[in-house]
Amino acid sequence: MSTADPTLDLLAYHAFPHLASALRARKDAILREWEKSVASTLPAADALTLRNLRDSVPLILEEVIEAFSSSHPVTTQALVEGSGLHGESRFQENYNIRELVVEYQLLRRVMIEQISEELNGELDETSNVALNMAVDAALQSGTVIFVENLQRQLKSATEIQSKYLSFLSHDLRNHLSQITLYIQILAMKLAKIPELADNVADLELVRSIILKTTAGMDRLLQSEQLRKGYFHLAMEVVDLNSLLSQAVRQVTPEAEMKGIELSIDVPEGAKVLSEEALLVPILQNLLGNAVKYSSGGRIEVTAHHNAREDSAWILSVSDQGPGIAPENLTHLFDAFQRADTYGKPGIGLGLSIASEATRLLGGKLEVDSVVGVGSTFRLLLPRQIPEDEVSDPGG
């Protein structure tokens, strides 16, 4: 029988009886010193954790002793398997990967100190390599099992999120479809009254936006295909003036009620090859959040070429709202994650949907925010069409 990892051959096929003897003599001391180090280094090391240490670590130390005592690979394999169980237990105890690695780093230091002292400092180079190899074997196995558990947990969470979004999108789509029907009927009735012509135009705009939103939902539901095979985007030339103007018009009533000034700065003839059905929900969520969390001031919507990349476009939404604390920026685009909401309702899906739609477009979503000053969200769209097919600014 051979070890799964050829780098462990020295430990697997050679015996180190002096290390086994020294470790056996110092096992209790190693455990005590390690417990002290863990308790002072790791915040997760509460009384329960230390009790679990006493349950699992002696087993690992015994397996290291066996590996040092024997030149048979089976003993090294037992060390690897036992350390895997340690990684499994740490995952169940809600450790993070850093804390697991620190545990083994502390173990390495304590073992070297104690064994070297037991051997009166006579730890030759080969023995030192074997000692470190034993810790590395335990660390590698424990970390691999920990990461595998973490991957399964993340996969399960992703599947749950995907199903929830699918059900939510399906439900919303049905309701929005009914709304568009009522809007269409109402517009037909109002069209017979000449003085209400502007109202009819507004209703048609709302209906158009809803249709684009439902189309975007349909596309988002297809994102799972990316994990399984080819995903085709229905790209089209999008007029950025029209797109941003419609997005701003949608939030204008709420902004006016809150005394928020809205401004648009988009170059004439600005166009991009993208998918409008995905751009719409991105802008809706960015503008919707800007208005929701602002109590006044100004919201600026801009579009300009990105100097950092070849003629890519950047669409920006800047507000003078309360801003976002630095510690909340890391998970800002995660589904169902809501930091300080300032009393505003929601379930934390808006920015997640915007982020997913951006990913499907091959773009990038960035944010800069200062508490008490405001936030700027930037949507970076890649250039995907020859210069002569899409108008440049002013073209």
Side-chain angles (χ1 to χ4, degrees):
M1 177 182 180
S2 65
T3 58
D5 188 346
T7 63
L8 299 179
D9 283 354
L10 174 64
L11 187 62
Y13 294 102
H14 297 81
F16 297 89
H18 62 298
L19 292 180
S21 178
L23 180 54
R24 186 174 289 108
R26 293 291 181 123
K27 188 178 72 170
D28 291 340
I30 290 172
L31 183 57
R32 286 194 302 271
E33 289 302 315
W34 191 34
E35 287 180 1
K36 291 179 183 178
S37 298
V38 171
S40 63
T41 305
L42 298 179
D46 54 18
L48 176 61
T49 300
L50 292 178
R51 187 162 60 250
N52 288 331
L53 279 175
R54 296 186 187 97
D55 292 339
S56 60
V57 174
L59 174 61
I60 293 178
L61 295 180
E62 283 296 333
E63 288 167 345
V64 172
I65 292 172
E66 290 299 319
F68 285 155
S69 300
S70 171
S71 60
H72 297 295
V74 66
T75 58
T76 301
Q77 187 63 31
L79 168 62
V80 170
E81 293 172 356
S83 301
L85 294 176
H86 179 72
E88 172 83 27
S89 68
R90 288 299 176 261
F91 177 81
Q92 299 300 332
E93 293 160 13
N94 294 319
Y95 264 50
N96 62 46
I97 190 67
R98 174 189 169 277
E99 291 168 335
L100 179 68
V101 172
V102 168
E103 270 196 355
Y104 284 108
Q105 289 175 333
L106 295 174
L107 176 63
R108 184 193 306 273
R109 177 177 62 79
V110 173
M111 285 180 64
I112 291 176
E113 289 176 354
Q114 290 290 327
I115 291 178
S116 179
E117 182 177 328
E118 179 68 17
L119 296 175
N120 297 318
E122 297 179 3
L123 191 63
D124 61 81
E125 182 177 349
T126 302
S127 297
N128 188 45
V129 170
L131 180 56
N132 279 278
M133 190 173 288
V135 179
D136 287 340
L139 170 61
Q140 177 179 319
S141 179
T143 303
V144 167
I145 296 299
F146 186 97
V147 170
E148 287 177 351
N149 275 276
L150 186 61
Q151 289 174 332
R152 283 192 291 270
Q153 184 185 62
L154 291 174
K155 182 179 180 180
S156 176
T158 300
E159 293 294 338
I160 292 173
Q161 174 184 318
S162 178
K163 289 179 181 179
Y164 182 82
L165 286 175
S166 297
F167 291 141
L168 181 63
S169 296
H170 181 268
D171 191 44
L172 286 175
R173 197 185 191 289
N174 287 340
H175 289 303
L176 289 174
S177 296
Q178 294 178 11
I179 292 173
T180 55
L181 178 60
Y182 290 136
I183 289 175
Q184 186 176 10
I185 294 173
L186 181 59
M188 291 173 61
K189 292 180 179 179
L190 294 179
K192 299 176 182 178
I193 307 174
E195 57 267 29
L196 297 180
D198 290 341
N199 299 87
V200 174
D202 289 339
L203 286 174
E204 287 299 330
L205 173 61
V206 172
R207 180 174 175 271
S208 173
I209 290 172
I210 292 176
L211 290 174
K212 290 176 181 177
T213 299
T214 55
M217 289 179 179
D218 289 340
R219 302 299 290 174
L220 284 171
L221 292 176
Q222 298 174 13
S223 64
E224 191 68 12
Q225 296 179 16
L226 286 173
R227 295 196 305 166
K228 300 177 180 177
Y230 182 70
F231 186 91
H232 177 70
L233 288 171
M235 308 299 278
E236 58 185 329
V237 176
V238 179
D239 185 324
L240 293 180
N241 274 284
S242 175
L243 177 73
L244 294 177
S245 295
Q246 288 187 23
V248 168
R249 284 182 64 184
Q250 187 179 5
V251 300
T252 295
E254 183 181 356
E256 289 179 344
M257 290 177 60
K258 301 178 73 172
I260 299 172
E261 181 185 353
L262 296 171
S263 70
I264 307 178
D265 182 11
V266 185
E268 273 303 314
K271 295 175 182 173
V272 67
L273 183 67
S274 190
E275 181 161 332
E276 190 169 358
L278 286 176
L279 287 173
V280 166
I282 297 173
L283 293 171
Q284 283 179 334
N285 282 294
L286 297 185
L287 270 168
N289 277 357
V291 173
K292 177 193 292 187
Y293 293 108
S294 297
S295 56
R298 180 185 180 90
I299 294 177
E300 298 180 350
V301 181
T302 65
H304 64 274
H305 271 300
N306 182 4
R308 292 180 295 173
E309 299 178 17
D310 183 20
S311 299
W313 281 95
I314 299 180
L315 310 184
S316 300
V317 176
S318 300
D319 64 57
Q320 296 176 342
I324 305 166
E327 63 269 19
N328 294 328
L329 292 175
T330 304
H331 302 290
L332 190 63
F333 298 106
D334 294 346
F336 312 113
Q337 295 293 322
R338 306 189 77 213
D340 191 342
T341 60
Y342 302 95
K344 303 299 181 181
I347 58 175
L349 278 177
L351 290 179
S352 174
I353 290 175
S355 178
E356 176 67 6
T358 300
R359 183 181 67 83
L360 294 179
L361 290 173
K364 186 177 180 180
L365 201 55
E366 298 179 341
V367 59
D368 290 324
S369 189
V370 178
V371 174
V373 177
S375 304
T376 296
F377 286 83
R378 287 182 295 272
L379 170 62
L380 282 68
L381 295 175
R383 177 172 173 74
Q384 298 174 315
I385 194 167
E387 190 72 22
D388 58 353
E389 294 184 39
V390 173
S391 300
D392 278 334

